[in-house]
Amino acid sequence: MKGVSIGRVLMPVLLLAAACVQAEEHADGAGDVVTSDRIGMGLAADIAEEAVAACTRRGYAVTAVVVDPSGDPQVMMRATHAPRFTRQIATDKARAVILAGIDSGTFRANREDIRMEMNHVDGILVLDGAVAIESAGSTIGALGISGAPGGDKDAECAREALEVFFDRLQLR
């Protein structure tokens, strides 16, 4: 290695080692810039519309709300005769899914010990009737429904709507 300085050989090795250490430090995904999977507006609107239609076919006037992974409402569809309060209830059920990472009915059943306290958290209702919207293993949103005569019926409509769009949710 005549005529080549140690610095020229050692510098790339040191830079590579430093990059590996930095990558290890940020292996938890908490780097300077973090990306997340989210549901697109078109699919969110289609799911909400199908959820209302599924409940309408059963004779229920409901509101369906799709929230994003932060719990912010993205789309709301309300049947013509759905009571106005169903908007807030559907939204707060969907937010419970985002909080817990599981369907709201499962959350309710698993955490009956804190359900009443959780229902006092602003923006959360631990009631049946909301399901996670998942794509390729990531929760990209949640669908909450309110207005059927029972949260179990809201959840049935939600699951039926998601089944219709199974292929679009698995595109990744």
Side-chain angles (χ1 to χ4, degrees):
M1 297 196 43
K2 199 173 191 180
V4 177
S5 73
I6 291 290
R8 283 189 114 171
V9 173
L10 201 50
M11 186 57 78
V13 173
L14 290 174
L15 289 173
L16 180 60
C20 289
V21 169
Q22 186 176 9
E24 189 174 319
E25 287 175 7
H26 295 297
D28 66 349
D32 292 333
V33 178
V34 179
T35 59
S36 64
D37 294 325
R38 304 173 73 80
I39 188 169
M41 186 180 68
L43 180 55
D46 291 346
I47 289 171
E49 185 173 24
E50 181 59 34
V52 171
C55 276
T56 299
R57 289 190 292 271
R58 291 174 169 86
Y60 313 139
V62 302
T63 297
V65 176
V66 173
V67 299
D68 68 16
S70 299
D72 292 322
Q74 188 166 4
V75 173
M76 187 271 300
M77 295 275 182
R78 187 177 70 84
T80 304
H81 296 292
R84 71 181 296 272
F85 299 103
T86 58
R87 292 179 296 186
Q88 178 183 349
I89 295 168
T91 302
D92 291 353
K93 287 180 183 184
R95 287 180 175 145
V97 171
I98 297 300
L99 169 71
I102 55 177
D103 293 350
S104 63
T106 303
F107 183 34
R108 179 181 182 183
N110 290 349
R111 296 308 314 258
E112 190 63 34
D113 59 325
I114 62 167
R115 182 176 60 84
M116 293 308 293
E117 290 86 353
M118 291 304 300
N119 284 336
H120 291 286
V121 175
D122 187 37
I124 301 290
L125 277 177
V126 184
L127 300 171
D128 291 338
V131 299
I133 302 173
E134 296 182 349
S135 177
S138 294
T139 299
I140 59 171
L143 169 61
I145 298 178
S146 177
D152 57 327
K153 293 169 182 59
D154 290 329
E156 287 172 11
C157 295
R159 286 188 194 92
E160 181 179 321
L162 290 182
E163 285 177 25
V164 170
F165 299 102
F166 178 82
D167 289 341
R168 285 175 67 187
L169 288 166
Q170 302 309 315
L171 288 177
R172 294 186 316 131

